[in-house]
């Protein structure tokens, strides 16, 4: 199968590496000359020109959130109507627009605090969840084709609604990133706090060093849901402060313990 990838950062580069050697003809578009040189070992079909994607049957758009619509628009001039295009943005409602090609919105829920092609690796998506938010009238065979390719990266598919996805993503990804950054900012002038900070603070602020452009984009493109998550957190904190209820705290521990295995894997994703 002819598979294209637009943008070879952490996500796009990892898609390229994950599909390499799986029997596909891989094509890639990137504007970075250094990345073109580094990715050449995975495919010689790599360019800064979208023309190279014209014969692709499936195309992944792994551009930054703020560039996604621009790329999806541009692809309309190069792809045939039967090509399946999947974006990789972590916000879904804003991309839900019919295209001349077959568009299936998606979100691979995998990543690290690092970015760039040099940070990408072939096993990034193994056991990770990959969300699809297709249109209601998207043909089943198109969804199955998309699922088949994604599953070759090692990811597991969850199909849901774009609006519900964005609400959930705000709660478990976008807002936690904001909180992580805020915690670090709170101690910026407290040298003693910095010296005393140990594993608890380290673990709660790990994602604060994530891609800054991605963080800004999340705040912009999913602001309404992030605001709702913020209100929910403040209400919950105030409730816990006033309640001082051991049963409630025990329930919280129980909920958390049932979400993850001892190895840190989300055990609810397979249920």
């Amino acid at each position: 199968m002819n598979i294209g990838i637009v943008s070879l950062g952490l996500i796009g580069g990892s898609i390229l590496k994950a599909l390499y050697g799986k029997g596909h003809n891989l094509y890639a578009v990137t504007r970075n000359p250094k990345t073109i040189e580094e990715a050449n070992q995975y495919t010689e079909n790599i360019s800064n020109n979208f023309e190279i994607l014209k014969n692709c049957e499936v195309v992944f758009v792994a551009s930054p959130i703020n560039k996604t619509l621009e790329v999806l628009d541009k692809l309309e001039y190069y792809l045939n109507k039967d090509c399946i295009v999947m974006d990789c943005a972590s916000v879904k409602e804003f991309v839900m627009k019919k295209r001349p090609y077959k568009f299936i919105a998606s979100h691979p829920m995998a990543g690290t605090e690092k970015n760039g092609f040099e940070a990408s690796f072939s096993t990034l998506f193994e056991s990770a969840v990959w969300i699809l938010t297709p249109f209601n009238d998207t043909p089943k065979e198109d969804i199955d084709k998309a699922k088949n390719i994604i599953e070759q990266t090692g990811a597991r598919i969850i199909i849901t609604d774009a609006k519900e996805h964005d609400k959930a993503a705000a709660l478990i990804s976008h807002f936690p990133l904001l909180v992580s950054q805020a915690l670090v900012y709170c101690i910026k002038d407290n040298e003693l706090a910095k010296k005393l900070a140990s594993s608890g603070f380290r673990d709660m602020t790990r994602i604060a060093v994530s891609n800054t452009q991605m963080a800004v984009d999340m705040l912009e493109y999913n602001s309404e849901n992030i605001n709702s998550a913020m209100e929910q957190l403040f209400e919950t904190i105030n409730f816990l402060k006033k309640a001082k209820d051991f049963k409630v705290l025990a329930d919280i521990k129980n909920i958390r313990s049932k979400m993850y295995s001892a190895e840190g894997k989300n055990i609810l994703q397979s249920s």
Side-chain angles (χ1 to χ4, degrees):
M1 185 178 295
N2 294 332
I3 300 176
I5 304 161
V6 178
S7 189
L8 295 178
L10 172 64
I11 298 299
S14 295
I15 294 173
L16 177 69
K17 293 174 182 179
L19 295 178
Y20 175 70
K22 300 287 176 64
H24 304 293
N25 299 313
L26 300 175
Y27 298 80
V29 173
T30 177
R31 295 180 299 176
N32 191 325
K34 181 182 177 184
T35 300
I36 292 177
E37 183 179 340
E38 292 176 344
N40 195 252
Q41 63 179 299
Y42 299 96
T43 177
E44 295 181 354
N45 305 311
I46 183 168
S47 172
N48 61 5
N49 192 327
F50 282 73
E51 182 75 21
I52 201 171
L53 304 173
K54 65 180 181 180
N55 293 319
C56 285
E57 300 161 73
V58 172
V59 171
F60 290 95
V61 176
S63 306
I65 297 174
N66 65 56
K67 298 293 184 184
T68 299
L69 291 180
E70 177 185 330
V71 172
L72 292 176
D73 289 344
K74 186 175 290 188
L75 288 175
E76 294 185 4
Y77 297 97
Y78 297 94
L79 304 180
N80 66 67
K81 63 181 179 63
D82 293 320
C83 181
I84 294 176
V85 175
M86 289 177 276
D87 74 308
C88 298
S90 65
V91 186
K92 295 274 63 83
E93 274 199 284
F94 85 105
V95 299
M96 297 300 290
K97 171 188 172 183
K98 294 280 187 155
R99 302 279 178 174
Y101 45 75
K102 297 179 177 181
F103 178 62
I104 301 177
S106 87
H107 174 203
M109 298 200 70
T112 70
E113 65 275 18
K114 300 178 181 179
N115 59 81
F117 184 77
E118 64 276 8
S120 65
F121 53 99
S122 63
T123 57
L124 176 64
F125 307 108
E126 286 189 3
S127 300
V129 166
W130 196 309
I131 308 294
L132 294 180
T133 63
F135 298 106
N136 291 332
D137 60 353
T138 299
K140 183 179 182 300
E141 57 266 30
D142 293 343
I143 296 174
D144 289 343
K145 187 174 181 179
K147 288 172 63 176
N148 177 263
I149 297 299
I150 291 170
E151 287 169 349
Q152 291 177 39
T153 71
R156 291 175 291 113
I157 311 296
I158 289 181
I159 297 178
T160 188
D161 170 76
K163 186 172 184 177
E164 292 306 310
H165 165 276
D166 288 356
K167 289 180 181 178
L171 283 167
I172 54 89
S173 178
H174 303 168
F175 182 54
L177 174 57
L178 180 63
V179 171
S180 180
Q181 293 166 327
L183 285 171
V184 175
Y185 200 70
C186 281
I187 68 163
K188 67 184 180 69
D189 297 321
N190 192 321
E191 295 305 318
L192 179 59
K194 291 177 186 176
K195 290 178 182 179
L196 296 179
S198 190
S199 58
F201 191 83
R202 178 199 65 205
D203 293 345
M204 288 195 69
T205 59
R206 178 184 63 82
I207 58 175
V209 295
S210 297
N211 184 303
T212 52
Q213 183 61 63
M214 178 186 70
V216 170
D217 289 347
M218 286 177 177
L219 289 172
E220 178 178 352
Y221 287 87
N222 205 18
S223 60
E224 183 177 339
N225 289 312
I226 290 173
N227 288 338
S228 295
M230 189 181 306
E231 291 175 6
Q232 184 175 341
L233 178 65
F234 289 157
E235 289 174 2
T236 304
I237 289 174
N238 287 328
F239 165 72
L240 293 175
K241 284 171 61 180
K242 293 175 181 177
K244 299 177 183 176
D245 190 327
F246 283 100
K247 183 180 182 304
V248 173
L249 297 179
D251 287 343
I252 291 172
K253 290 179 64 176
N254 188 46
I255 292 169
R256 176 60 171 75
S257 65
K258 288 182 177 180
M259 286 178 65
Y260 296 96
S261 67
E263 297 77 28
K265 298 291 185 181
N266 188 323
I267 55 181
L268 300 179
Q269 291 175 350
S270 58
S271 62

